[in-house]
């Protein structure tokens, strides 16, 4: 099993990540990991902190001669924007963790909560996720994401409407990670409008896993279900308020015959589906189709034109504190979501196929895939 933990604070010296249970002999491509970190920092609507932080990893353990060793991998990302005087947050921001965190940990204000609850921590999740992506690549598994809604503006194109498979990997070409160039313009426009009003926006991202083998996850107990594990990992991203798989909430208005994917058998002796309304998971197990899910992100809680709050010192009505903030972070959240999905799937590969080195896992994987032909 792969486990990871992160440490570090938004304005602390560095973020730290430890990944345990990662197999040996995987080529550790630092350039690739740093490129993934850059992808998180892009996206229309982000604050100028992104110009200060040029995220790069420093490897402290678990890698030798460019390959993983099987030892715990420890990595660090230095914070460049750490030399500022930090003020206490006594006027907590509605929608952020400030007040609940201050009350829970018996603090005078929300500063110490903000330092950890803030999405700076997600930089380390992307570093870990990109290491997991390197593992998934060995099995030809690819993870893609794109933005399908910002505020009220919806992309006409999505997995179920008008997108071709080869387009799924092209979202990096768009400032907002949209694959629908008409709505991209409108999305950018409404972010500008929200910014002028001192307000913020959220949206919806779509995530797709390609070349997923049948049999990841299990129905045998509640905590082994693949959709449950993915939902947990995506819901743990700050600001994400809902997750749906396949047709998701849209299944409720349809008849069963309009939802479930009929089963076929092809010349290669494998089962497949003409449709993928389930989003690639049935009974908590991957069914061999693409994994498709969507996640909704609420608008950013830090508003330049702040909402009403209570001053924790005086208990009087006040306006919430403002500190440099994104107007919209949905494109970045989609990279964080790719990373969390990659972690869950890499872990499932290890759980299903076992093995302490990449070579051993590949032997087990290939033998399983070949055995499927005659089942
Ligand atoms: C990539 C990313 C960037 C974010 N940037 C900000 C930000 O600049 N300002 C802010 O108030 N919240 C930001 N958020 C959202 C908050 O971190 C989040 O709303 C807060 O921690 C409260 O958690 P909750 O929304 O899950 O309840 C960001 C989230 C993500 C994923």
């Amino acid at each position: 099993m792969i486990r990871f933990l992160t440490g570090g604070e938004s304005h602390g010296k560095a973020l730290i990540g430890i990944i345990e249970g990662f197999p040996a002999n995987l080529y550790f491509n630092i350039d690739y990991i740093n490129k993934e970190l850059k992808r998180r920092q892009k996206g229309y609507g982000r604050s100028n902190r992104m110009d200060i932080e040029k995220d790069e990893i420093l490897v402290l353990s678990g890698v030798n001669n460019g390959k993983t060793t099987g030892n715990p991998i420890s990595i660090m990302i230095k914070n460049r924007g750490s030399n500022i005087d930090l003020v206490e947050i006594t006027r907590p921001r509605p929608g952020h963790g400030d007040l609940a965190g201050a009350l829970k940990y018996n603090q005078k204000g929300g500063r110490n909560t903000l330092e950890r609850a803030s999405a700076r921590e997600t930089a380390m999740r992307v570093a870990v996720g990109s290491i997991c992506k390197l593992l998934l690549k060995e099995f030809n598994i690819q993870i893609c994401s794109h933005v399908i809604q910002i505020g009220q503006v919806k992309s006409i194109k999505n997995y179920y409407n008008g997108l071709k498979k080869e387009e799924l990997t092209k979202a990096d070409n768009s400032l907002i990670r949209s694959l629908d160039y008409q709505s991209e313009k409108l999305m950018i426009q409404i972010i500008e409008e929200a910014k002028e009003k001192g307000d913020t926006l959220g949206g919806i991202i779509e995530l797709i896993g390609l070349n997923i083998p049948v049999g990841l996850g299990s129905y045998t107990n509640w905590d082994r279900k693949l959709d449950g594990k993915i939902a947990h990992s995506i819901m743990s991203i700050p600001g994400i308020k809902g997750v749906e798989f396949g047709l998701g909430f849209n299944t409720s208005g349809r008849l069963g015959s309009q939802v479930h994917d009929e089963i076929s058998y092809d010349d290669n002796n494998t089962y497949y589906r003409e449709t993928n309304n389930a989003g690639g998971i049935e009974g908590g197990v991957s069914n061999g189709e693409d994994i498709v899910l969507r996640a909704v992100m609420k608008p950013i809680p830090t508003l330049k034109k702040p909402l009403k709050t209570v001053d924790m010192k005086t208990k009087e009505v006040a306006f919430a504190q403002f500190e440099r903030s994104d107007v919209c972070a949905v494109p970045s959240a989609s990279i964080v979501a790719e990373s969390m999905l990659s972690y869950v799937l890499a872990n499932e590969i290890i759980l299903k196929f076992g093995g302490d080195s990449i070579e051993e896992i590949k032997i087990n994987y290939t033998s399983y895939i070949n055995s499927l032909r005659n089942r």
Side-chain angles (χ1 to χ4, degrees):
M1 178 175 177
I2 307 174
R3 294 188 300 158
F4 80 91
L5 279 179
T6 73
E9 282 143 11
S10 185
H11 297 93
K13 286 204 169 72
L15 301 170
I16 292 286
I18 299 181
I19 314 165
E20 202 231 23
F22 205 84
N25 297 340
L26 183 79
Y27 175 51
F28 197 85
N29 186 339
I30 294 192
D31 286 345
Y32 174 77
I33 299 165
N34 287 336
K35 274 192 194 127
E36 288 289 298
L37 288 170
K38 270 205 191 90
R39 291 176 75 222
R40 189 197 77 100
Q41 294 190 281
K42 286 187 190 155
Y44 204 87
R46 298 219 67 191
S47 80
N48 62 3
R49 177 161 187 185
M50 292 310 117
D51 304 330
I52 301 167
E53 300 293 357
K54 299 270 181 276
D55 290 342
E56 284 180 350
I57 63 156
L58 215 77
V59 182
L60 306 178
S61 77
V63 179
N64 194 13
N65 289 327
K67 286 184 171 179
T68 57
T69 60
N71 298 337
I73 300 170
S74 320
I75 50 180
M76 178 162 112
I77 302 171
K78 283 191 182 155
N79 280 339
R80 292 182 203 210
S82 64
N83 305 326
I84 58 167
D85 286 335
L86 299 177
V87 288
E88 185 51 281
I89 305 279
T90 57
R91 290 172 285 126
R93 296 161 298 170
H96 225 297
D98 305 346
L99 181 60
L103 295 176
K104 176 176 167 69
Y105 290 98
N106 191 18
Q107 302 288 303
K108 292 197 163 51
R111 169 57 61 189
N112 288 337
T113 298
L114 174 166
E115 284 299 311
R116 184 66 187 154
S118 126
R120 178 78 194 126
E121 180 260 345
T122 62
M124 184 48 77
R125 297 205 212 182
V126 170
V128 172
S130 60
I131 297 168
C132 293
K133 277 185 188 176
L134 289 172
L135 178 82
L136 295 178
K137 274 175 199 272
E138 296 288 322
F139 302 91
N140 203 20
I141 296 175
Q142 199 175 4
I143 307 297
C144 326
S145 72
H146 63 122
V147 171
I148 58 169
Q149 189 168 336
I150 297 284
Q152 296 285 333
V153 180
K154 290 183 188 169
S155 165
I156 300 159
K157 287 180 170 182
N158 60 54
Y159 183 87
Y160 293 102
N161 191 17
L163 268 186
K164 297 194 191 91
K165 278 255 162 98
E166 32 319 343
E167 287 180 275
L168 291 174
T169 53
K170 302 276 190 284
D172 281 6
N173 298 336
S174 157
L175 282 174
I176 199 92
R177 302 191 54 71
S178 166
L179 291 172
D180 170 2
Y181 301 108
Q182 282 305 320
S183 40
E184 179 190 38
K185 281 189 213 144
L186 288 173
M187 287 171 179
I188 288 176
Q189 194 183 319
I190 59 166
I191 292 174
E192 274 308 303
E193 285 165 12
K195 188 176 178 184
E196 268 166 40
K197 287 188 209 144
D199 221 318
T200 60
L201 282 168
I204 300 180
I205 59 190
E206 189 168 75
L207 276 168
I208 300 109
L210 301 170
N211 302 320
I212 310 290
V214 62
L216 302 183
S218 176
Y219 48 80
T220 54
N221 247 315
W222 66 271
D223 58 349
R224 295 182 59 187
K225 293 199 163 205
L226 184 61
D227 39 4
K229 289 185 181 187
I230 295 173
H232 178 197
S233 77
I234 303 292
M235 287 296 293
S236 76
I237 300 169
I240 299 294
K241 292 296 133 196
V243 176
E244 62 175 6
F245 289 85
L247 288 186
F249 280 70
N250 276 330
T251 58
S252 66
R254 297 181 180 215
L255 292 165
S257 55
Q258 298 167 321
V259 170
H260 304 301
D261 307 301
E262 289 183 316
I263 300 171
S264 309
Y265 200 65
D266 68 14
D267 298 340
N268 282 333
N269 300 340
T270 39
Y271 297 99
Y272 74 98
R273 315 298 171 104
E274 302 280 352
T275 55
N276 183 19
N277 295 337
I281 303 174
E282 289 170 304
V285 180
S286 62
N287 63 9
E289 301 298 324
D290 301 336
I291 289 187
V292 186
L293 62 134
R294 269 170 241 97
V296 56
M297 184 179 196
K298 74 184 188 185
I300 296 286
T302 309
L303 305 185
K304 198 146 200 185
K305 196 170 164 218
L307 292 173
K308 247 180 18 190
T309 188
V310 172
D311 191 316
M312 291 180 75
K313 273 190 293 197
T314 63
K315 315 291 184 239
E316 279 170 9
V317 178
F319 284 110
Q321 227 146 303
F322 177 78
E323 135 151 355
R324 183 178 50 198
S325 183
D326 301 328
V327 174
C328 175
V330 180
S332 309
S334 79
I335 307 298
V336 182
E338 281 185 17
S339 307
M340 294 310 290
L341 178 60
S342 301
Y343 160 68
V344 174
L345 293 177
N347 189 34
E348 288 304 317
I349 293 278
I350 305 281
L351 289 174
K352 169 95 182 94
F353 302 109
D356 297 305
S357 66
I358 195 73
E359 296 84 357
E360 195 180 353
I361 304 170
K362 274 190 178 171
I363 290 169
N364 297 341
Y365 174 87
T366 310
S367 119
Y368 168 74
I369 296 292
N370 290 338
S371 76
L372 289 173
R373 289 267 149 77
N374 297 315
R375 283 187 196 177

